[in-house]
Amino acid sequence: MRFLPIARGPITSRSVSDAIAREEASGLAYVFWGRSAVLLILAAWVSLTLPFERSQLYLTAVAAFALLGIVPFALRHRYAAHTRLLFGFIFLDAAALSFVLIVPTPFDFEGWTQQMNLRTPAFLYLGVFVVSMALSYKPALVIWTGLAAASTWTLGYLWVATRPGAIPFTSGDVLDEGMGAEAALAKVLDPNAVGLARLSNQVVFLVLISVILTIVVVRSRALVRRQVAAEAQRAMLSRYFSPNIVREFAEGRWQPDEPGNRPVAVLFADMVDFTSISERLPPQDLIALLRAFHSRLATVAFEQDGTIDKFIGDAVMVHFGTPRTRPDDAVRALTCAARMADAIHAWNAEREQAGDPPIGVGIGVHYGRAVVGNIGDAHKLEYTVLGDTVNVASRLESLTRQTGTDVVVSNELIEAVKASGADPHEIAPGLQNAGTFDIRGRREAVTVWTLGGGCRSVLLFP
């Protein structure tokens, strides 16, 4: 298992762009539904706090805002083609909101002027409007919304300041005239007075929150890019490493340079009579056959959270108990062996229907202590397991030819399964004690269990 450098650059650009596009589309949906919820709350608040004759205008405005929000929502998946239209509706939003906040007088009594509307905290609704656009996940929309809100509010503010009877003033006007405290206060509190300094502060406020929110959105998009790139790298690494190894790396729970001696279950599986089959098939057909065979074995191994050590020609080596020991390692190893055999039998049924000859499989599993760690050098490392347990598992896989079965497992594995509280016969129905066999390289005979009737395929290939 070779540790490769993490890929960077163009291989993830499309996936990143697709992820950003999905976030932008869902962001506009969030804007719409959030806006609808806010408008519903405002409609209820207006209905409860204002008499019906005065609330009609505001309820009409709420309905208008709701209708204006439908267009950006409908265009969320076609943003690039309708950018100008979307920007136009946002400007209409800002203009309509500024109009509602400035023009109608909310209090029905004599003496209330439009100039006094500018002194209420209703301006803050424009800030809420700008903040809501951050949900769009589009920096350009946030900036545009802030500019639209600032410009439409400024136009409305100046319109009120230039109306007949209005008294516009700045802070400098009050200070330069040398008025006394009472006179200055009277001028500032005059119902027709319009403080232009307040306008400048409000515009600065809108610009500042727009800039801050734009930075937040840009940073969020950068985080999404990094996350998608990491997921793409993780998916690519999964093609070279077992998913459990990649998961341990990604979560920072394991360092590959930590060697150890621990109990593991080792499984070898290969294709019966592969040498004869390879002599009868053209290269492209042989590679396709191997890929189909390996794919089915690997799928089962990954389902049982096993670590695929390597593919060796037609064979695959899998271990359980790496990168860390788990109490059900033996159970998962036996389950994997039984399901691998089932997967190949199911494949043979498909091959039979297609008129193709069956494929035999031999699987050997042993449980015991092994050295786990990296071998190789700094330029090419291989994470693997070493020792007698590996050798015995390989010999058991070869023993399937002698026993004429699909699976041969050691008694040590069966005892480990029982020690974990599981029943081997429930995991692998049909499992039988086949007695003891001499294993090359071992002084003592090994007690083994077998499963399945085996399959010989060489004579069926032309």
Side-chain angles (χ1 to χ4, degrees):
M1 183 180 302
R2 185 162 62 93
F3 291 101
L4 305 175
I6 294 179
R8 299 181 183 275
I11 64 167
T12 62
S13 59
R14 181 168 184 176
S15 58
V16 171
S17 299
D18 291 343
I20 291 294
R22 288 193 299 270
E23 291 296 330
E24 290 177 344
S26 63
L28 288 174
Y30 277 118
V31 170
F32 173 77
W33 293 114
R35 171 198 187 102
S36 300
V38 169
L39 291 176
L40 185 62
I41 294 172
L42 287 176
W45 181 75
V46 167
S47 299
L48 292 173
T49 58
L50 292 178
F52 178 74
E53 59 274 8
R54 280 194 289 144
S55 65
Q56 292 183 30
L57 175 61
Y58 293 101
L59 293 176
T60 302
V62 166
F65 283 124
L67 292 175
L68 285 173
I70 293 176
V71 174
F73 176 74
L75 298 178
R76 66 190 184 281
H77 295 298
R78 299 184 296 276
Y79 168 75
H82 300 89
T83 303
R84 292 184 179 180
L85 181 61
L86 188 58
F87 277 31
F89 270 89
I90 290 175
F91 191 86
L92 284 177
D93 262 347
L97 182 57
S98 297
F99 174 85
V100 170
L101 297 177
I102 292 174
V103 176
T105 55
F107 303 105
D108 188 20
F109 59 81
E110 186 177 353
W112 187 272
T113 64
Q114 288 178 329
Q115 288 77 13
M116 294 180 68
N117 284 348
L118 304 178
R119 306 179 195 178
T120 68
F123 159 79
L124 296 176
Y125 286 110
L126 272 176
V128 174
F129 172 63
V130 175
V131 169
S132 68
M133 198 54 63
L135 296 173
S136 69
Y137 226 67
K138 297 177 182 290
L141 282 185
V142 177
I143 287 290
W144 174 252
T145 302
L147 293 176
S151 59
T152 55
W153 179 259
T154 299
L155 290 174
Y157 202 103
L158 294 178
W159 175 76
V160 173
T162 56
R163 295 204 67 194
I167 308 174
F169 70 92
T170 64
S171 299
D173 294 337
V174 176
L175 296 175
D176 293 341
E177 290 179 9
M179 297 180 180
E182 293 185 3
L185 188 60
K187 182 172 183 178
V188 170
L189 297 180
D190 189 293
N192 295 309
V194 179
L196 298 179
R198 182 185 292 111
L199 172 62
S200 61
N201 289 329
Q202 292 170 340
V203 170
V204 168
F205 168 77
L206 291 174
V207 171
L208 289 179
I209 64 170
S210 299
V211 171
I212 293 173
L213 290 172
T214 301
I215 294 173
V216 170
V217 171
V218 169
R219 184 170 182 270
S220 298
R221 289 165 67 99
L223 290 175
V224 168
R225 287 190 179 93
R226 286 198 291 270
Q227 182 180 3
V228 173
E231 290 298 323
Q233 293 163 4
R234 183 170 176 172
M236 186 194 69
L237 289 174
S238 294
R239 299 181 63 188
Y240 295 89
F241 310 109
S242 290
N244 57 343
I245 296 292
V246 176
R247 184 170 62 249
E248 293 279 335
F249 270 130
E251 296 175 358
R253 297 185 299 174
W254 174 68
Q255 296 297 325
D257 293 327
E258 296 178 354
N261 188 302
R262 63 173 72 107
V264 297
V266 180
L267 178 152
F268 279 90
D270 76 347
M271 187 183 298
V272 174
D273 298 325
F274 174 72
T275 301
S276 298
I277 294 173
S278 62
E279 293 175 351
R280 290 164 169 78
L281 289 179
Q284 61 272 22
D285 292 343
L286 180 62
I287 293 299
L289 180 68
L290 275 177
R291 285 182 175 175
F293 180 73
H294 285 156
S295 174
R296 284 162 174 79
L297 299 182
T299 297
V300 176
F302 292 153
E303 286 174 351
Q304 298 305 313
D305 211 15
T307 301
I308 292 185
D309 188 293
K310 58 177 71 70
F311 291 100
I312 313 167
D314 64 310
V316 59
M317 175 182 173
V318 186
H319 31 88
F320 300 82
T322 57
R324 60 183 69 250
T325 301
R326 288 162 52 177
D328 63 342
D329 290 332
V331 173
R332 289 184 292 112
L334 181 59
T335 303
C336 183
R339 293 187 180 178
M340 278 183 173
D342 290 342
I344 298 304
H345 285 304
W347 183 35
N348 281 331
E350 297 174 6
R351 292 176 61 81
E352 182 180 1
Q353 291 182 355
D356 296 324
I359 296 297
V361 64
I363 303 168
V365 194
H366 182 49
Y367 185 85
R369 299 194 70 85
V371 176
V372 180
N374 292 321
I375 60 173
D377 64 12
H379 299 287
K380 184 176 181 180
L381 293 175
E382 186 174 278
Y383 179 73
T384 188
V385 296
L386 304 169
D388 179 66
T389 300
V390 178
N391 296 331
V392 171
S394 178
R395 301 289 186 265
L396 295 181
E397 182 273 319
S398 299
L399 192 59
T400 59
R401 278 64 166 175
Q402 182 177 340
T403 60
T405 56
D406 296 324
V407 181
V408 174
V409 302
S410 67
N411 190 63
E412 286 83 352
L413 178 75
I414 299 301
E415 292 300 321
V417 171
K418 292 178 179 177
S420 68
D423 184 352
H425 297 282
E426 290 184 0
I427 297 173
L431 191 67
Q432 295 180 353
N433 190 323
T436 58
F437 287 80
D438 291 327
I439 298 295
R440 183 164 56 90
R442 269 257 180 146
R443 294 181 180 178
E444 299 179 357
V446 177
T447 300
V448 301
W449 296 67
T450 60
L451 178 68
C455 174
R456 295 298 177 264
S457 55
V458 60
L459 298 179
L460 299 175
F461 279 84

